[in-house]
Amino acid sequence: MLSTLPAAELLDLFLRFLTLSLLSIGGAMSTAPEMHRYLVVERGWLGEADFTTAIALAQAAPGPNVLFVPVLGFQVAGLAGAAAALLGILLPSTLLSLGVSRWGATRRDTPLVRAFTAGLAPVTVGLTFATGWLLALPFLANPAQRAGALLLIALTAAVTLKTKLAPMWMIAVGATLGAAGFM
Amino acid sequence: MTTPPPAGATDRPASPLAVFIAFSLLALQGFGGVLAVAQRELVDRRNWLSRAEFVELYAVAQLLPGPNVVNLSLMIGDRYFGWRGALAAIGGMLLAPLLVVLALAASYQQLAQYPAVAGALRGMGAVAAGLILTMALKMLATLRGNVLGPALCTALGLVTLAAIAVLRMPLAWVVIGLGLSGWGLARWRIALLDARRARSRKDDESC
């Protein structure tokens, strides 16, 4: 499967992710709600389950979490979609980061830069909570899955906060319980 | 700008290819996050960076838009071999894991017809949601020393959450609108704190 999408729509996908790139302060995951709005609600290219699957696959596989982005692109339009989504999300932020890091670590203590860090921190935390909430919502909205999902989320939080266990093992437990019909 | 290796580091990569290989190897070990593996490989095992250098670069990487570990990789690569090093580091970080995850995604589409596979993915999805919510909880702790103070931090965070999760507003409006508000408020608080500190210093002197 190379591409199932007309070139114009593929370009639209690329351009949309290009603009998201500069907004992804705190990581690509903070733009997940906006990708959801675009891919699931606005365009209808993906279902709720496809969206959560992309994030679950990227978490289960090795590598940076940003790889959920090419998986979303792949689900929409095959390899061409994966390339469009990954290049889109990385190109602007990478060029900006290169420029800024060269421009100066020396200015980090100026009030303007300190204010930037401090002012954006609570917004980033709010965005991360929103992402977690939107990911949990499809399970919580389905009465057949609600109890199991809540239990898995609580278990994951407890293990993450209390132990140094690698997330890979928690994902494996979730997969095993899910396959056994737990939720 | 290709700066010499930072103080504290005892070694440096021999070539962009060495950078590419090192980053490929560490990325493939990073299940559920690469940062911890990156620190162990680059600081403890290869000695390309001192621990303090690593933390400093990561702080800058977090501020900038884009995936933190990708920004971190590009800064480390750039430091040794300019843009070629940056490209080698990002390529190493992304290429091999990308192939793995796309292979998973492709075979998932064929396997999805089995109820057990769909169930497994649901279970993994719930765990993924739990991981991200916990990450958000842990991030709360970093707000403790924020110049905005607890009340403003809570207000900004809650308004962001409501705008995205409840009102489903476009991210651009939220980040630009609330980000600029946060920036302005923080700038005002820093000026206020500086003025207060200057005043108390003057009081001390007059005593």
Side-chain angles (χ1 to χ4, degrees), chain B residues 168-196:
Chain B
R168 307 284 174 111
M169 280 167 63
L171 181 72
W173 300 8
V174 177
V175 168
I176 293 170
L178 291 173
L180 283 179
S181 316
W183 191 1
L185 284 169
R187 186 68 193 83
W188 166 69
R189 292 279 300 181
I190 288 174
L192 207 69
L193 291 174
D194 284 351
R196 202 174 293 164

PDB file of all heavy atoms in Angstrom, chain B residues 168-196:
ATOM      1  N   ARG B 168     -12.551  21.595  23.082  1.00  0.00           N
ATOM      2  CA  ARG B 168     -11.942  21.113  21.835  1.00  0.00           C
ATOM      3  C   ARG B 168     -11.518  22.258  20.920  1.00  0.00           C
ATOM      4  O   ARG B 168     -11.751  22.240  19.720  1.00  0.00           O
ATOM      5  CB  ARG B 168     -12.906  20.181  21.077  1.00  0.00           C
ATOM      6  CG  ARG B 168     -13.450  19.032  21.903  1.00  0.00           C
ATOM      7  CD  ARG B 168     -12.399  17.958  22.071  1.00  0.00           C
ATOM      8  NE  ARG B 168     -12.827  16.918  22.971  1.00  0.00           N
ATOM      9  CZ  ARG B 168     -13.112  15.666  22.601  1.00  0.00           C
ATOM     10  NH1 ARG B 168     -13.001  15.329  21.334  1.00  0.00           N
ATOM     11  NH2 ARG B 168     -13.466  14.782  23.482  1.00  0.00           N
ATOM     12  N   MET B 169     -10.917  23.264  21.512  1.00  0.00           N
ATOM     13  CA  MET B 169     -10.446  24.398  20.712  1.00  0.00           C
ATOM     14  C   MET B 169      -9.184  24.018  19.953  1.00  0.00           C
ATOM     15  O   MET B 169      -8.419  23.173  20.398  1.00  0.00           O
ATOM     16  CB  MET B 169     -10.154  25.594  21.628  1.00  0.00           C
ATOM     17  CG  MET B 169     -11.397  26.359  22.040  1.00  0.00           C
ATOM     18  SD  MET B 169     -11.057  27.503  23.374  1.00  0.00           S
ATOM     19  CE  MET B 169      -9.897  28.595  22.584  1.00  0.00           C
ATOM     20  N   PRO B 170      -8.938  24.659  18.799  1.00  0.00           N
ATOM     21  CA  PRO B 170      -7.714  24.370  18.040  1.00  0.00           C
ATOM     22  C   PRO B 170      -6.474  24.696  18.861  1.00  0.00           C
ATOM     23  O   PRO B 170      -6.443  25.701  19.570  1.00  0.00           O
ATOM     24  CB  PRO B 170      -7.807  25.302  16.827  1.00  0.00           C
ATOM     25  CG  PRO B 170      -9.238  25.665  16.725  1.00  0.00           C
ATOM     26  CD  PRO B 170      -9.808  25.615  18.110  1.00  0.00           C
ATOM     27  N   LEU B 171      -5.471  23.815  18.740  1.00  0.00           N
ATOM     28  CA  LEU B 171      -4.262  23.939  19.556  1.00  0.00           C
ATOM     29  C   LEU B 171      -3.546  25.272  19.340  1.00  0.00           C
ATOM     30  O   LEU B 171      -3.009  25.844  20.280  1.00  0.00           O
ATOM     31  CB  LEU B 171      -3.325  22.773  19.226  1.00  0.00           C
ATOM     32  CG  LEU B 171      -2.030  22.732  20.011  1.00  0.00           C
ATOM     33  CD1 LEU B 171      -2.297  22.333  21.440  1.00  0.00           C
ATOM     34  CD2 LEU B 171      -1.045  21.773  19.378  1.00  0.00           C
ATOM     35  N   ALA B 172      -3.550  25.756  18.081  1.00  0.00           N
ATOM     36  CA  ALA B 172      -2.818  26.990  17.776  1.00  0.00           C
ATOM     37  C   ALA B 172      -3.324  28.132  18.645  1.00  0.00           C
ATOM     38  O   ALA B 172      -2.534  28.863  19.237  1.00  0.00           O
ATOM     39  CB  ALA B 172      -2.962  27.336  16.304  1.00  0.00           C
ATOM     40  N   TRP B 173      -4.650  28.288  18.741  1.00  0.00           N
ATOM     41  CA  TRP B 173      -5.206  29.369  19.566  1.00  0.00           C
ATOM     42  C   TRP B 173      -4.772  29.210  21.001  1.00  0.00           C
ATOM     43  O   TRP B 173      -4.413  30.173  21.666  1.00  0.00           O
ATOM     44  CB  TRP B 173      -6.735  29.340  19.550  1.00  0.00           C
ATOM     45  CG  TRP B 173      -7.355  29.505  18.226  1.00  0.00           C
ATOM     46  CD1 TRP B 173      -6.728  29.519  17.014  1.00  0.00           C
ATOM     47  CD2 TRP B 173      -8.757  29.680  17.962  1.00  0.00           C
ATOM     48  NE1 TRP B 173      -7.657  29.676  16.020  1.00  0.00           N
ATOM     49  CE2 TRP B 173      -8.905  29.779  16.567  1.00  0.00           C
ATOM     50  CE3 TRP B 173      -9.895  29.742  18.780  1.00  0.00           C
ATOM     51  CZ2 TRP B 173     -10.143  29.944  15.976  1.00  0.00           C
ATOM     52  CZ3 TRP B 173     -11.118  29.907  18.186  1.00  0.00           C
ATOM     53  CH2 TRP B 173     -11.254  30.011  16.790  1.00  0.00           C
ATOM     54  N   VAL B 174      -4.827  27.964  21.482  1.00  0.00           N
ATOM     55  CA  VAL B 174      -4.539  27.718  22.890  1.00  0.00           C
ATOM     56  C   VAL B 174      -3.078  28.023  23.202  1.00  0.00           C
ATOM     57  O   VAL B 174      -2.773  28.750  24.153  1.00  0.00           O
ATOM     58  CB  VAL B 174      -4.885  26.257  23.260  1.00  0.00           C
ATOM     59  CG1 VAL B 174      -4.520  25.966  24.698  1.00  0.00           C
ATOM     60  CG2 VAL B 174      -6.372  26.010  23.035  1.00  0.00           C
ATOM     61  N   VAL B 175      -2.159  27.468  22.389  1.00  0.00           N
ATOM     62  CA  VAL B 175      -0.736  27.655  22.680  1.00  0.00           C
ATOM     63  C   VAL B 175      -0.343  29.119  22.515  1.00  0.00           C
ATOM     64  O   VAL B 175       0.348  29.691  23.363  1.00  0.00           O
ATOM     65  CB  VAL B 175       0.139  26.748  21.778  1.00  0.00           C
ATOM     66  CG1 VAL B 175       1.596  27.161  21.865  1.00  0.00           C
ATOM     67  CG2 VAL B 175      -0.011  25.303  22.199  1.00  0.00           C
ATOM     68  N   ILE B 176      -0.824  29.749  21.445  1.00  0.00           N
ATOM     69  CA  ILE B 176      -0.439  31.138  21.218  1.00  0.00           C
ATOM     70  C   ILE B 176      -1.105  32.041  22.266  1.00  0.00           C
ATOM     71  O   ILE B 176      -0.448  32.837  22.934  1.00  0.00           O
ATOM     72  CB  ILE B 176      -0.782  31.576  19.783  1.00  0.00           C
ATOM     73  CG1 ILE B 176       0.103  30.803  18.800  1.00  0.00           C
ATOM     74  CG2 ILE B 176      -0.564  33.081  19.605  1.00  0.00           C
ATOM     75  CD1 ILE B 176      -0.288  30.958  17.355  1.00  0.00           C
ATOM     76  N   GLY B 177      -2.428  31.868  22.466  1.00  0.00           N
ATOM     77  CA  GLY B 177      -3.145  32.718  23.410  1.00  0.00           C
ATOM     78  C   GLY B 177      -2.664  32.532  24.843  1.00  0.00           C
ATOM     79  O   GLY B 177      -2.227  33.488  25.500  1.00  0.00           O
ATOM     80  N   LEU B 178      -2.702  31.286  25.320  1.00  0.00           N
ATOM     81  CA  LEU B 178      -2.326  31.044  26.711  1.00  0.00           C
ATOM     82  C   LEU B 178      -0.814  31.124  26.910  1.00  0.00           C
ATOM     83  O   LEU B 178      -0.348  31.552  27.958  1.00  0.00           O
ATOM     84  CB  LEU B 178      -2.854  29.682  27.167  1.00  0.00           C
ATOM     85  CG  LEU B 178      -4.386  29.627  27.284  1.00  0.00           C
ATOM     86  CD1 LEU B 178      -4.849  28.208  27.572  1.00  0.00           C
ATOM     87  CD2 LEU B 178      -4.865  30.558  28.373  1.00  0.00           C
ATOM     88  N   GLY B 179      -0.050  30.716  25.884  1.00  0.00           N
ATOM     89  CA  GLY B 179       1.407  30.799  25.979  1.00  0.00           C
ATOM     90  C   GLY B 179       1.861  32.246  26.140  1.00  0.00           C
ATOM     91  O   GLY B 179       2.675  32.567  27.004  1.00  0.00           O
ATOM     92  N   LEU B 180       1.290  33.144  25.307  1.00  0.00           N
ATOM     93  CA  LEU B 180       1.652  34.559  25.410  1.00  0.00           C
ATOM     94  C   LEU B 180       1.205  35.134  26.756  1.00  0.00           C
ATOM     95  O   LEU B 180       1.927  35.916  27.378  1.00  0.00           O
ATOM     96  CB  LEU B 180       1.033  35.357  24.262  1.00  0.00           C
ATOM     97  CG  LEU B 180       1.726  35.221  22.900  1.00  0.00           C
ATOM     98  CD1 LEU B 180       1.003  36.049  21.842  1.00  0.00           C
ATOM     99  CD2 LEU B 180       3.186  35.635  22.985  1.00  0.00           C
ATOM    100  N   SER B 181       0.002  34.735  27.215  1.00  0.00           N
ATOM    101  CA  SER B 181      -0.453  35.200  28.529  1.00  0.00           C
ATOM    102  C   SER B 181       0.526  34.757  29.609  1.00  0.00           C
ATOM    103  O   SER B 181       0.913  35.542  30.485  1.00  0.00           O
ATOM    104  CB  SER B 181      -1.840  34.654  28.869  1.00  0.00           C
ATOM    105  OG  SER B 181      -2.696  34.741  27.767  1.00  0.00           O
ATOM    106  N   GLY B 182       0.894  33.477  29.567  1.00  0.00           N
ATOM    107  CA  GLY B 182       1.819  32.939  30.560  1.00  0.00           C
ATOM    108  C   GLY B 182       3.158  33.668  30.516  1.00  0.00           C
ATOM    109  O   GLY B 182       3.723  34.015  31.558  1.00  0.00           O
ATOM    110  N   TRP B 183       3.640  33.903  29.299  1.00  0.00           N
ATOM    111  CA  TRP B 183       4.921  34.597  29.128  1.00  0.00           C
ATOM    112  C   TRP B 183       4.845  35.998  29.743  1.00  0.00           C
ATOM    113  O   TRP B 183       5.691  36.412  30.531  1.00  0.00           O
ATOM    114  CB  TRP B 183       5.260  34.669  27.636  1.00  0.00           C
ATOM    115  CG  TRP B 183       6.648  35.113  27.324  1.00  0.00           C
ATOM    116  CD1 TRP B 183       7.635  35.431  28.223  1.00  0.00           C
ATOM    117  CD2 TRP B 183       7.217  35.267  26.023  1.00  0.00           C
ATOM    118  NE1 TRP B 183       8.777  35.772  27.553  1.00  0.00           N
ATOM    119  CE2 TRP B 183       8.564  35.686  26.200  1.00  0.00           C
ATOM    120  CE3 TRP B 183       6.748  35.089  24.722  1.00  0.00           C
ATOM    121  CZ2 TRP B 183       9.411  35.941  25.132  1.00  0.00           C
ATOM    122  CZ3 TRP B 183       7.597  35.342  23.651  1.00  0.00           C
ATOM    123  CH2 TRP B 183       8.917  35.754  23.856  1.00  0.00           C
ATOM    124  N   GLY B 184       3.767  36.738  29.395  1.00  0.00           N
ATOM    125  CA  GLY B 184       3.589  38.096  29.907  1.00  0.00           C
ATOM    126  C   GLY B 184       3.475  38.111  31.431  1.00  0.00           C
ATOM    127  O   GLY B 184       4.124  38.913  32.109  1.00  0.00           O
ATOM    128  N   LEU B 185       2.656  37.183  31.962  1.00  0.00           N
ATOM    129  CA  LEU B 185       2.477  37.115  33.417  1.00  0.00           C
ATOM    130  C   LEU B 185       3.802  36.804  34.116  1.00  0.00           C
ATOM    131  O   LEU B 185       4.136  37.410  35.145  1.00  0.00           O
ATOM    132  CB  LEU B 185       1.446  36.038  33.772  1.00  0.00           C
ATOM    133  CG  LEU B 185      -0.022  36.410  33.525  1.00  0.00           C
ATOM    134  CD1 LEU B 185      -0.917  35.182  33.660  1.00  0.00           C
ATOM    135  CD2 LEU B 185      -0.462  37.488  34.506  1.00  0.00           C
ATOM    136  N   ALA B 186       4.566  35.869  33.554  1.00  0.00           N
ATOM    137  CA  ALA B 186       5.839  35.478  34.164  1.00  0.00           C
ATOM    138  C   ALA B 186       6.832  36.636  34.113  1.00  0.00           C
ATOM    139  O   ALA B 186       7.570  36.877  35.072  1.00  0.00           O
ATOM    140  CB  ALA B 186       6.406  34.247  33.461  1.00  0.00           C
ATOM    141  N   ARG B 187       6.818  37.376  32.986  1.00  0.00           N
ATOM    142  CA  ARG B 187       7.708  38.533  32.857  1.00  0.00           C
ATOM    143  C   ARG B 187       7.382  39.567  33.935  1.00  0.00           C
ATOM    144  O   ARG B 187       8.264  40.135  34.573  1.00  0.00           O
ATOM    145  CB  ARG B 187       7.537  39.141  31.458  1.00  0.00           C
ATOM    146  CG  ARG B 187       8.495  40.270  31.126  1.00  0.00           C
ATOM    147  CD  ARG B 187       9.914  39.741  30.996  1.00  0.00           C
ATOM    148  NE  ARG B 187      10.897  40.837  30.971  1.00  0.00           N
ATOM    149  CZ  ARG B 187      11.370  41.431  32.067  1.00  0.00           C
ATOM    150  NH1 ARG B 187      10.943  41.072  33.257  1.00  0.00           N
ATOM    151  NH2 ARG B 187      12.270  42.384  31.974  1.00  0.00           N
ATOM    152  N   TRP B 188       6.063  39.777  34.170  1.00  0.00           N
ATOM    153  CA  TRP B 188       5.601  40.727  35.177  1.00  0.00           C
ATOM    154  C   TRP B 188       6.002  40.263  36.583  1.00  0.00           C
ATOM    155  O   TRP B 188       6.494  41.049  37.401  1.00  0.00           O
ATOM    156  CB  TRP B 188       4.076  40.848  35.051  1.00  0.00           C
ATOM    157  CG  TRP B 188       3.394  41.520  36.195  1.00  0.00           C
ATOM    158  CD1 TRP B 188       3.481  42.842  36.531  1.00  0.00           C
ATOM    159  CD2 TRP B 188       2.526  40.904  37.162  1.00  0.00           C
ATOM    160  NE1 TRP B 188       2.713  43.090  37.642  1.00  0.00           N
ATOM    161  CE2 TRP B 188       2.119  41.928  38.053  1.00  0.00           C
ATOM    162  CE3 TRP B 188       2.046  39.615  37.352  1.00  0.00           C
ATOM    163  CZ2 TRP B 188       1.268  41.671  39.122  1.00  0.00           C
ATOM    164  CZ3 TRP B 188       1.193  39.359  38.407  1.00  0.00           C
ATOM    165  CH2 TRP B 188       0.814  40.383  39.284  1.00  0.00           C
ATOM    166  N   ARG B 189       5.845  38.946  36.852  1.00  0.00           N
ATOM    167  CA  ARG B 189       6.189  38.408  38.170  1.00  0.00           C
ATOM    168  C   ARG B 189       7.695  38.526  38.438  1.00  0.00           C
ATOM    169  O   ARG B 189       8.102  38.836  39.554  1.00  0.00           O
ATOM    170  CB  ARG B 189       5.784  36.926  38.284  1.00  0.00           C
ATOM    171  CG  ARG B 189       4.289  36.704  38.294  1.00  0.00           C
ATOM    172  CD  ARG B 189       3.701  36.957  39.658  1.00  0.00           C
ATOM    173  NE  ARG B 189       4.281  36.076  40.673  1.00  0.00           N
ATOM    174  CZ  ARG B 189       3.911  36.089  41.941  1.00  0.00           C
ATOM    175  NH1 ARG B 189       2.973  36.926  42.346  1.00  0.00           N
ATOM    176  NH2 ARG B 189       4.469  35.270  42.809  1.00  0.00           N
ATOM    177  N   ILE B 190       8.510  38.262  37.397  1.00  0.00           N
ATOM    178  CA  ILE B 190       9.971  38.357  37.578  1.00  0.00           C
ATOM    179  C   ILE B 190      10.353  39.802  37.904  1.00  0.00           C
ATOM    180  O   ILE B 190      11.143  40.059  38.819  1.00  0.00           O
ATOM    181  CB  ILE B 190      10.705  37.858  36.311  1.00  0.00           C
ATOM    182  CG1 ILE B 190      10.574  36.337  36.201  1.00  0.00           C
ATOM    183  CG2 ILE B 190      12.179  38.245  36.347  1.00  0.00           C
ATOM    184  CD1 ILE B 190      11.128  35.763  34.915  1.00  0.00           C
ATOM    185  N   ALA B 191       9.746  40.760  37.200  1.00  0.00           N
ATOM    186  CA  ALA B 191      10.034  42.175  37.461  1.00  0.00           C
ATOM    187  C   ALA B 191       9.633  42.534  38.888  1.00  0.00           C
ATOM    188  O   ALA B 191      10.357  43.228  39.606  1.00  0.00           O
ATOM    189  CB  ALA B 191       9.285  43.042  36.453  1.00  0.00           C
ATOM    190  N   LEU B 192       8.465  42.026  39.300  1.00  0.00           N
ATOM    191  CA  LEU B 192       7.950  42.290  40.647  1.00  0.00           C
ATOM    192  C   LEU B 192       8.914  41.750  41.707  1.00  0.00           C
ATOM    193  O   LEU B 192       9.266  42.435  42.671  1.00  0.00           O
ATOM    194  CB  LEU B 192       6.583  41.603  40.779  1.00  0.00           C
ATOM    195  CG  LEU B 192       5.587  42.188  41.766  1.00  0.00           C
ATOM    196  CD1 LEU B 192       5.095  43.536  41.275  1.00  0.00           C
ATOM    197  CD2 LEU B 192       4.402  41.237  41.936  1.00  0.00           C
ATOM    198  N   LEU B 193       9.345  40.473  41.497  1.00  0.00           N
ATOM    199  CA  LEU B 193      10.242  39.837  42.468  1.00  0.00           C
ATOM    200  C   LEU B 193      11.582  40.561  42.531  1.00  0.00           C
ATOM    201  O   LEU B 193      12.136  40.766  43.615  1.00  0.00           O
ATOM    202  CB  LEU B 193      10.448  38.362  42.112  1.00  0.00           C
ATOM    203  CG  LEU B 193       9.235  37.454  42.304  1.00  0.00           C
ATOM    204  CD1 LEU B 193       9.517  36.065  41.778  1.00  0.00           C
ATOM    205  CD2 LEU B 193       8.849  37.381  43.781  1.00  0.00           C
ATOM    206  N   ASP B 194      12.091  40.968  41.352  1.00  0.00           N
ATOM    207  CA  ASP B 194      13.372  41.673  41.314  1.00  0.00           C
ATOM    208  C   ASP B 194      13.270  42.994  42.065  1.00  0.00           C
ATOM    209  O   ASP B 194      14.171  43.354  42.831  1.00  0.00           O
ATOM    210  CB  ASP B 194      13.790  41.930  39.853  1.00  0.00           C
ATOM    211  CG  ASP B 194      14.310  40.654  39.212  1.00  0.00           C
ATOM    212  OD1 ASP B 194      14.501  39.665  39.952  1.00  0.00           O
ATOM    213  OD2 ASP B 194      14.519  40.632  37.982  1.00  0.00           O
ATOM    214  N   ALA B 195      12.136  43.701  41.849  1.00  0.00           N
ATOM    215  CA  ALA B 195      11.947  44.997  42.512  1.00  0.00           C
ATOM    216  C   ALA B 195      11.881  44.809  44.018  1.00  0.00           C
ATOM    217  O   ALA B 195      12.489  45.564  44.788  1.00  0.00           O
ATOM    218  CB  ALA B 195      10.672  45.657  42.003  1.00  0.00           C
ATOM    219  N   ARG B 196      11.158  43.759  44.435  1.00  0.00           N
ATOM    220  CA  ARG B 196      11.014  43.500  45.871  1.00  0.00           C
ATOM    221  C   ARG B 196      12.373  43.182  46.500  1.00  0.00           C
ATOM    222  O   ARG B 196      12.716  43.646  47.570  1.00  0.00           O
ATOM    223  CB  ARG B 196      10.037  42.343  46.084  1.00  0.00           C
ATOM    224  CG  ARG B 196       9.409  42.324  47.470  1.00  0.00           C
ATOM    225  CD  ARG B 196       8.350  41.244  47.564  1.00  0.00           C
ATOM    226  NE  ARG B 196       7.196  41.513  46.723  1.00  0.00           N
ATOM    227  CZ  ARG B 196       6.291  40.580  46.395  1.00  0.00           C
ATOM    228  NH1 ARG B 196       6.444  39.334  46.790  1.00  0.00           N
ATOM    229  NH2 ARG B 196       5.249  40.884  45.653  1.00  0.00           N
TER     230      ARG B 196
END
